[in-house]
Amino acid sequence: MKKIRVRFAPSPTGPLHIGGVRTALYNYLLARKEGGTFILRIEDTDRTRFVTGAEAYIKEALSWFGMVPEEGPDQGGAYGPYRQSERKERYREQVQMLLEKGKAYRAFDTPEEIAAMKEAWQAKGVHSPKYDAVTRQSMRNSLTLSPSEVEELVASGAPHVVRLLVDPGREVAFEDEIRGEVRFSTSELDDKVLLKGDGMPTYHLANVVDDYHMKITHVIRGEEWLSSTPHHVLLYEAFGWRAEMPVFAHLPLILKPSGKGKLSKRDGAKFGFPVFPMDWEAEDGTHYLGFREAGFLPSAVINFLAFLGWNPGGEQEIFTMEELVEVFTPQNIVKSGARFDYDKALWFNQQHIMKCTVEELYEMVKDRVQSAYGVLDAPYVKEIIPLMQERIKTLNEFVPSTRFFFTEDWAYEAKMIRKKWKEDSPRHLKALKDVLQGLDPFEAPAIEAMVRDFIQENALSFGAIMPLLRIGLTGTMKGPDLYKSMEIIGRERSIQRLERALEAFPAIKAGGQHPG
Ligand code: GLU
């Protein structure tokens, strides 16, 4: 069997959309699973859509996800260069070959002439006229002009394109791994431009020439390219490469959360979730949020994306990249569109956070802690992490939800205090503070036992004292295990906070501001 070679072939026209990441992922998984080669090819021939920084963004995103290509612009390889703008000569040679074989022709028509042609056909009732076997006959091209006229025009440098000569009236079919047999009639197709007026190849030409020369065995790409594939098949035929044509697999669309229509970059801003792997500042000043900056683990985004349009069957949903490599089969990719569900992305992230070791999570949150407080006490942060692991959905939640471990600068949840602060409360809270003060060692199981005994001995209810204790110590009702939190905060600070609460709560109860 041939060694599998797959390519991810993005155009540097902006930041990599999450759909592009999924395309890269499926290519990567197949290559890894089959011991094949994963190639990065930059398709940058459309200079009008070129965006500075996009290629660097794409590479950074791939490396954040751990999908490093074996061949590519930075890695090199036996089939380079891997940037299409550096392969112009090759495309020109290949087009020359098609011209000589009579499979392509030169066309000198101006955009105005083409527009006029289309209008004239529309007036005759043709719905969407195109440059094809019927219309090309009335146009200025090397099929209608005499050889000497063509020669003169070319010699004088007349602007022109080279088009693929599509023979009408043929049924052609190819096999798509996901969709099965796809049939089309050549009568439906236009004579696609292969080489543009500026000498640059079009996507179709460059893509096919490169896939052939780079010995690509599988083309795995988004569904939006399915309609281009008939032309690609004709190109393989025209070159005489049909026997070496790669296997095609067109991935289902990623749909909006509503399930209606394709997920777009504007949906991210509209619904407030990321649709890009990393932040991106567009040239017009628009800021696009990235999964990375939203506090996602790359492994969680990968897991989430893997399941957008594929599943291994069975119950297991949480997979590492290595595990995905094991179970990935393109046969399990579905045909129908996959709905983007941000809550599901958060769930995957939470699951991946829970699977991390303390050391791993520490590495992920330490910069956030450092920048929030200006200091970083590693052993202290590592004590807090196990408490928070099940409680945070994103890394960004770590700092806001652990404030009370690091600072005294937080406000009390006043509503609960007003509800719970009763006549007896000061006496009880003070008594509890006093017993806690004498507790040694100040550790969670002992604190818990002591609080329970205290409640029982004083015939109190949990509801009468626990909320006050929690808010006094942390400011809020939401939070991790209180006894463990107290152990980490330590006796001294816990006692100080309770003293502060004893002063602040009556004022809050009375409706005033707490002294802070
Ligand atoms: N350059 C195309 C893109 O931006 C590649 C499509 C393909 O994989 O053939 O997606």
Side-chain angles (χ1 to χ4, degrees):
M1 239 192 71
K2 260 200 295 186
K3 193 169 178 258
I4 282 186
R5 290 177 57 81
V6 291
R7 84 303 193 272
F8 176 49
S11 298
T13 54
L16 188 57
H17 184 271
I18 212 70
V21 179
R22 188 196 56 177
T23 301
L25 174 64
Y26 288 3
N27 276 286
Y28 176 82
L29 291 176
L30 182 68
R32 289 278 315 277
K33 168 146 193 181
E34 303 295 338
T37 306
F38 174 61
I39 298 154
L40 174 66
R41 183 172 76 221
I42 300 295
E43 301 209 327
D44 59 347
T45 57
D46 188 349
R47 302 316 279 180
T48 58
R49 295 181 60 220
F50 181 84
V51 171
T52 313
E55 182 181 323
Y57 180 98
I58 291 164
K59 290 174 185 166
E60 194 185 338
L62 290 180
S63 99
W64 185 55
F65 289 120
M67 298 191 281
V68 179
E70 277 112 327
E71 294 173 27
D74 295 347
Q75 292 74 16
Y79 303 90
Y82 293 89
R83 207 177 275 115
Q84 288 187 327
S85 57
E86 294 163 21
R87 299 171 66 85
K88 280 183 271 189
E89 226 11 78
R90 198 177 295 255
Y91 308 127
R92 242 170 273 159
E93 279 164 28
Q94 296 293 348
V95 162
Q96 197 52 42
M97 178 172 142
L98 289 184
L99 285 168
E100 280 160 22
K101 285 171 121 189
K103 304 283 185 187
Y105 61 94
R106 298 183 197 275
F108 300 90
D109 322 273
T110 63
E112 294 74 28
E113 285 165 343
I114 293 174
M117 172 273 277
K118 288 187 178 168
E119 247 173 63
W121 281 97
Q122 263 159 352
K124 284 190 221 165
V126 176
H127 186 56
S128 46
K130 36 190 189 307
Y131 206 112
D132 62 7
V134 178
T135 62
R136 73 166 87 102
Q137 295 174 28
S138 59
M139 305 302 285
R140 289 196 308 128
N141 53 52
S142 55
L143 301 171
T144 57
L145 302 169
S146 73
S148 58
E149 278 175 303
V150 173
E151 216 171 286
E152 244 171 67
L153 282 167
V154 173
S156 70
H160 68 282
V161 301
V162 176
R163 287 179 180 271
L164 177 68
L165 181 67
V166 178
D167 281 332
R170 283 177 57 220
E171 273 279 309
V172 183
F174 66 91
E175 207 43 42
D176 184 280
E177 281 279 278
I178 299 165
R179 279 141 228 277
E181 191 184 62
V182 179
R183 306 194 135 267
F184 61 91
S185 158
T186 56
S187 303
E188 306 287 315
L189 304 179
D190 63 336
D191 291 350
K192 276 267 175 292
V193 172
L194 301 177
L195 205 61
K196 293 182 277 191
D198 61 1
M200 275 293 207
T202 56
Y203 155 70
H204 306 287
L205 175 73
N207 191 267
V208 166
V209 167
D210 287 351
D211 283 347
Y212 174 77
H213 285 287
M214 294 181 179
K215 297 205 164 29
I216 300 302
T217 58
H218 293 68
V219 167
I220 304 172
R221 61 184 171 198
E223 185 181 283
E224 60 272 33
W225 304 103
L226 183 61
S227 59
S228 297
T229 312
H231 277 108
H232 297 181
V233 174
L234 294 185
L235 267 169
Y236 281 103
E237 285 186 353
F239 281 119
W241 301 336
R242 175 88 205 225
E244 285 109 313
M245 193 168 83
V247 173
F248 290 103
H250 288 92
L251 305 177
L253 291 178
I254 298 180
L255 305 175
K256 291 182 197 297
S258 65
K260 293 193 190 85
K262 191 176 156 186
L263 181 74
S264 78
K265 64 177 177 191
R266 279 170 299 277
D267 290 330
K270 191 164 141 201
F271 299 111
F273 55 61
V275 296
F276 294 103
M278 309 166 320
D279 272 12
W280 171 261
E281 305 295 334
E283 273 162 0
D284 66 3
T286 317
H287 174 88
Y288 293 102
L289 176 66
F291 274 93
R292 185 177 66 181
E293 288 73 10
F296 278 78
L297 273 56
S299 63
V301 181
I302 287 297
N303 196 164
F304 167 64
L305 289 178
F307 274 74
L308 276 183
W310 169 87
N311 75 76
E315 297 288 298
Q316 188 182 345
E317 283 190 278
I318 303 305
F319 288 84
T320 61
M321 185 72 104
E322 295 307 310
E323 291 166 335
L324 285 171
V325 167
E326 285 289 306
V327 298
F328 184 75
T329 48
Q331 289 76 30
N332 288 358
I333 298 172
V334 300
K335 266 202 275 284
S336 51
R339 198 172 65 82
F340 181 96
D341 177 354
Y342 187 58
D343 288 336
K344 193 79 199 199
L346 287 169
W347 179 81
F348 274 112
N349 204 41
Q350 185 175 32
Q351 300 298 312
H352 279 253
I353 288 176
M354 276 160 61
K355 277 184 64 179
C356 285
T357 63
V358 170
E359 288 299 326
E360 286 167 341
L361 263 181
Y362 172 71
E363 288 304 316
M364 295 181 209
V365 298
K366 66 176 188 193
D367 291 348
R368 290 170 166 87
V369 174
Q370 166 85 48
S371 75
Y373 305 112
V375 284
L376 185 66
D377 177 348
Y380 186 67
V381 175
K382 286 178 195 173
E383 268 189 273
I384 297 165
I385 284 174
L387 255 73
M388 299 311 296
Q389 246 175 311
E390 294 200 5
R391 307 187 64 87
I392 53 170
K393 290 200 176 87
T394 71
L395 299 173
N396 291 3
E397 290 171 18
F398 186 79
V399 164
S401 58
T402 56
R403 276 195 75 76
F404 64 89
F405 284 113
F406 295 92
T407 156
E408 306 300 317
D409 177 21
W410 33 263
Y412 295 116
E413 220 173 88
K415 209 171 134 204
M416 198 56 163
I417 297 170
R418 291 196 185 112
K419 195 163 141 208
K420 293 288 176 184
W421 194 251
K422 304 267 163 64
E423 217 184 307
D424 285 346
S425 303
R427 188 163 56 83
H428 292 139
L429 197 60
K430 178 163 185 322
L432 181 56
K433 184 200 73 149
D434 291 342
V435 291
L436 285 169
Q437 194 148 23
L439 183 64
D440 192 31
F442 199 73
E443 283 168 2
I447 301 171
E448 176 168 8
M450 180 162 270
V451 172
R452 282 178 185 279
D453 287 352
F454 177 85
I455 289 172
Q456 222 174 13
E457 279 162 20
N458 292 281
L460 295 170
S461 73
F462 270 82
I465 199 80
M466 290 307 287
L468 294 173
L469 186 62
R470 181 178 277 281
I471 294 185
L473 289 164
T474 71
T476 158
M477 285 303 289
K478 292 187 295 286
D481 182 82
L482 184 61
Y483 306 118
K484 192 70 198 162
S485 302
M486 287 168 77
E487 179 186 321
I488 295 173
I489 295 165
R491 181 185 13 228
E492 200 184 325
R493 275 200 296 169
S494 296
I495 299 303
Q496 280 167 4
R497 287 183 188 184
L498 290 178
E499 280 164 359
R500 191 179 111 186
L502 282 162
E503 275 178 37
F505 286 4
I508 293 171
K509 174 80 177 187
Q513 297 291 323
H514 75 85

